[in-house]
Amino acid sequence: MKTGFTCLYDPRHARLRKLTEAQYFAHDHVIVSYNGDLRGFVEDLLGKTRRIRCSVASFSNLGALLDGTAMLATVPEIVADDIRAVRPHLRTKPLPFEVQPGYMELLWPAATDDDEACKFAREKIVQIARPLSKG
């Protein structure tokens, strides 16, 4: 199972052969941040700042945002595979730096803590995701 991160892009606009760290940081980026931050794990990992042009709350529209632009997105490989299933013209490149495996977070509004249907859904998500995280 794929558990690492990759760089997802539209090769019609971002012309990349071998992605170097200099090229990576020279491009504009879109990131996924549930709270809308313009800072991601790459900044924390490397202590460098990307040119982030867009931050979205989920991966669901990431393919549409990248499509037709020269922006790059650093995403889990499994997410890139799902996006490329719908947009097969998008491509991936290995990141030009090492990223250690991370962890998954399940976030929800505190107001739904005691909602039985929401608790049921969260338990099912954990039940499904747990075997996936063991690779």
Side-chain angles (χ1 to χ4, degrees):
M1 170 175 190
K2 295 181 178 183
T3 59
F5 284 83
T6 190
C7 180
L8 182 66
Y9 69 102
D10 186 335
R12 300 169 303 176
H13 299 277
R15 306 223 189 269
L16 307 172
R17 288 186 182 206
K18 181 180 179 193
L19 183 60
T20 66
E21 193 170 315
Q23 288 174 318
Y24 178 86
F25 283 98
H27 274 273
D28 290 342
H29 292 257
V30 57
I31 67 168
V32 176
S33 171
Y34 69 90
N35 62 3
D37 283 352
L38 293 178
R39 176 181 177 86
F41 78 92
V42 171
E43 284 73 17
D44 295 336
L45 176 71
L46 299 177
K48 296 182 177 183
T49 303
R50 291 177 285 177
R51 293 184 352 202
I52 297 172
R53 297 295 176 228
C54 183
S55 174
V56 294
S58 76
F59 293 108
S60 62
N61 294 318
L62 193 57
L65 284 169
L66 289 175
D67 203 338
T69 75
M71 291 191 293
L72 308 180
T74 303
V75 299
E77 290 173 329
I78 195 167
V79 170
D81 290 347
D82 287 346
I83 292 170
R84 291 191 64 228
V86 176
R87 298 175 186 278
H89 57 279
L90 297 180
R91 296 286 179 260
T92 60
K93 288 279 185 196
L95 294 173
F97 45 83
E98 189 174 334
V99 176
Q100 296 297 319
Y103 58 91
M104 287 190 265
E105 294 178 315
L106 180 60
L107 306 171
W108 63 89
T112 66
D113 281 350
D114 296 326
D115 182 285
E116 289 302 318
C118 291
K119 285 170 76 172
F120 174 83
R122 286 192 299 269
E123 289 169 5
K124 289 299 177 188
I125 290 168
V126 170
Q127 182 182 23
I128 293 167
R130 184 168 283 128
L132 297 175
S133 69
K134 294 178 181 170

